[in-house]
Amino acid sequence: MLIDLHTHSFVSDGTESPEVLVRSAAEQGVDVVALTDHDQTSGWQEAAETALEVGIGLVPGIEISCRTDNHISVHLLAYLHDPLNEALLAEINKARDARVTRAQRMVEMLSEDYPISWELVLEHSHRDATIGRPHIADALVAIGAVENRSEAFERILIPGSKYYVGHYAMDPVTAVELVKQANGVPVFAHPLAAARGRVVQDQVFHDMIDAGLAGLEVFHRDNPAHAQQRLLEMAQKERLIVTGSSDYHGAGKPNRLGENSTARDQLERILELGTGSHSVGIR
Ligand code: AMP
Ligand code: FE
Ligand code: FE
Ligand code: ZN
């Protein structure tokens, strides 16, 4: 059974609609897919309807932006939480709003050196999408400043670049607590993805585990091999769920559906723990 628990549609920074994404998953032989858009769940309904139609399983999820007090970005996946839980929703919406102001500031600074505007960025993002650097990257591609998103990140949008601006996001420990309160299953996304920027110290892992972290996304292309080994050992020691996934973004990234996957018994643990919403079509 091929289980891919981390994908993005165009309601965040993927390039496909939730419907097309689920159809793509079915075509690629994925049996269960989780839709985990950044900081929003507006794709769930369409994804669920399509999953039923094409006969694959769907786990509703989200990837929550977090930031430690020393400004390290952490992504927390949550599965099967109650999407209307007020405390969690308030924090997620605050981060989503902060992303807009932050992107506008980045575009303002970029516009001193590139012919780029906020309007152009909006043209390259779906209406109501969670705005991120990938949308700025797409605008940079459109004006011919770079070939693709990857080049935009490497050369222009990476933390440390003079154009980089951070944004408000809640602490990962708070995020774990809120996901638990919303009856969801919190899983630390690509925990040791060093190429994306600084990664957290062991203390943060332990604080998140004490708060109720349920799992680690071990099998992900951005966790280097030695880091995957370390994460596996930690998961075993702390009895955490181990997941693997593609982090598919459609045409926005080279990541292919099902390139990494989650074992069936680990999915079962997630399905047992998550009671805030319902999975669809898992056989
Ligand atoms: P942001 O959410 O604005 O901080 O931007 C981070 C997002 O950019 C991540 O969710 C990835 O989808 C995307 N991203 C990060 N690095 C790259 C890269 N090298 N190439 C393409 N997309 C990337
Ligand atoms: Fe993304
Ligand atoms: Fe992520
Ligand atoms: Zn992701």
Side-chain angles (χ1 to χ4, degrees), residues 17-260:
S17 67
E19 176 183 346
V20 170
L21 184 152
V22 172
R23 288 188 189 283
S24 306
E27 279 161 21
Q28 296 307 308
V30 172
D31 298 294
V32 178
V33 67
L35 180 68
T36 54
D37 278 303
H38 296 286
D39 302 323
Q40 74 169 316
T41 59
S42 62
W44 283 12
Q45 170 105 12
E46 185 182 310
E49 285 165 9
T50 311
L52 278 179
E53 193 191 320
V54 300
I56 68 169
L58 175 89
V59 180
I62 189 169
E63 185 172 21
I64 303 170
S65 307
C66 308
R67 190 165 78 162
T68 62
D69 49 18
N70 57 343
H71 291 201
I72 296 175
S73 162
V74 169
H75 285 175
L76 185 73
L77 291 160
Y79 300 107
L80 296 161
H81 68 284
D82 171 4
L84 300 178
N85 178 279
E86 280 182 29
L88 179 59
L89 196 56
E91 276 297 331
I92 288 171
N93 286 343
K94 206 167 145 188
R96 206 162 79 227
D97 291 346
R99 282 170 159 284
V100 175
T101 326
R102 170 270 201 140
Q104 286 170 336
R105 283 184 56 202
M106 287 185 70
V107 170
E108 206 175 292
M109 292 196 284
L110 282 160
S111 69
E112 289 175 17
D113 298 322
Y114 298 94
I116 189 177
S117 65
W118 183 239
E119 287 66 38
L120 189 66
V121 173
L122 289 183
E123 273 174 39
H124 289 273
S125 51
H126 190 257
R127 193 164 51 90
D128 298 329
T130 301
I131 296 289
R133 284 175 286 157
H135 302 104
I136 303 177
D138 289 347
L140 289 167
V141 173
I143 60 172
V146 290
E147 280 289 319
N148 50 41
R149 279 189 185 180
S150 302
E151 190 190 341
F153 271 85
E154 278 154 29
R155 287 193 25 223
I156 304 174
L157 301 175
I158 199 163
S161 143
K162 67 172 178 169
Y163 307 109
Y164 182 84
V165 179
H167 65 82
Y168 170 82
M170 71 178 137
D171 183 88
V173 175
T174 308
V176 168
E177 290 166 353
L178 291 180
V179 169
K180 297 283 287 181
Q181 281 172 32
N183 298 314
V185 187
V187 173
F188 196 157
H190 44 75
L192 296 173
R196 293 170 178 239
R198 286 183 301 155
V199 299
V200 298
Q201 299 294 308
D202 286 2
Q203 190 59 46
V204 176
F205 279 92
H206 290 118
D207 292 347
M208 289 170 74
I209 291 167
D210 288 346
L213 183 71
L216 299 175
E217 187 183 47
V218 175
F219 307 114
H220 183 293
R221 64 157 68 202
D222 294 353
N223 292 323
H226 60 90
Q228 294 191 7
Q229 194 50 44
R230 230 189 95 201
L231 292 166
L232 272 180
E233 284 159 19
M234 191 189 303
Q236 199 164 26
K237 184 156 165 263
E238 306 285 349
R239 301 186 189 290
L240 298 171
I241 297 167
V242 170
T243 70
S245 55
S246 63
D247 205 351
Y248 180 70
H249 281 67
K253 274 186 161 184
N255 309 33
R256 293 299 91 193
L257 282 161
E259 67 174 31
N260 279 294

